[in-house]
Amino acid sequence: MELNGINTSYQTNGCGACQGFWKFVKPPHRNFFKDECNIHDVEYEIGGNSYDRKLADINLKYNMKLKIYRYFYRRKIISRIWYLIIANIYFFFLRLFGFSNFNYKK
């Protein structure tokens, strides 16, 4: 199965951590961002170095913002602002705590 041209035979769980303490935390609006988070999960499983992790996180933020702008086009501006704040919070916490779920390669 493919999602936006990416093979999804990798393990994905949508938004949220797969392991550790954070797996019990359910992020807000996780269903709205499910596809974007699944792509991010694939990028984390493919792995690489710290630069690849940063790119995966930036891609998630970009994809989330793209979806927000498309979905909330000509809708209430306050909803768009709220979802943009949520996307930035996702990115912030990923940069702080996402290292434990990234597949670092030598």
Side-chain angles (χ1 to χ4, degrees):
M1 182 176 149
E2 287 195 5
L3 179 65
N4 293 339
I6 296 177
N7 180 354
T8 58
S9 62
Y10 294 99
Q11 180 183 350
T12 61
N13 72 335
C15 300
C18 295
Q19 59 190 359
F21 168 78
W22 293 106
K23 76 178 178 178
F24 299 108
V25 176
K26 301 299 180 201
H29 306 296
R30 64 186 175 276
N31 291 329
F32 182 78
F33 294 120
K34 184 177 181 181
D35 291 342
E36 291 74 19
C37 289
N38 282 337
I39 292 169
H40 184 257
D41 288 349
V42 169
E43 291 176 339
Y44 259 47
E45 193 165 331
I46 291 170
N49 57 28
S50 60
Y51 179 75
D52 296 319
R53 178 179 162 242
K54 186 174 184 178
L55 281 179
D57 294 345
I58 291 170
N59 285 338
L60 174 65
K61 185 177 177 181
Y62 173 81
N63 289 335
M64 291 170 94
K65 287 184 174 190
L66 187 62
K67 181 172 188 170
I68 292 165
Y69 284 114
R70 287 180 177 164
Y71 183 82
F72 290 105
Y73 180 70
R74 294 191 180 184
R75 296 186 189 196
K76 293 182 180 178
I77 189 75
I78 194 70
S79 297
R80 185 183 327 159
I81 291 169
W82 172 250
Y83 276 78
L84 288 169
I85 290 169
I86 295 296
N88 283 311
I89 291 170
Y90 272 62
F91 179 76
F92 176 76
F93 278 96
L94 269 172
R95 295 307 301 152
L96 282 180
F97 303 110
F99 64 89
S100 62
N101 291 308
F102 189 78
N103 182 19
Y104 285 99
K105 297 180 180 179
K106 295 179 181 176

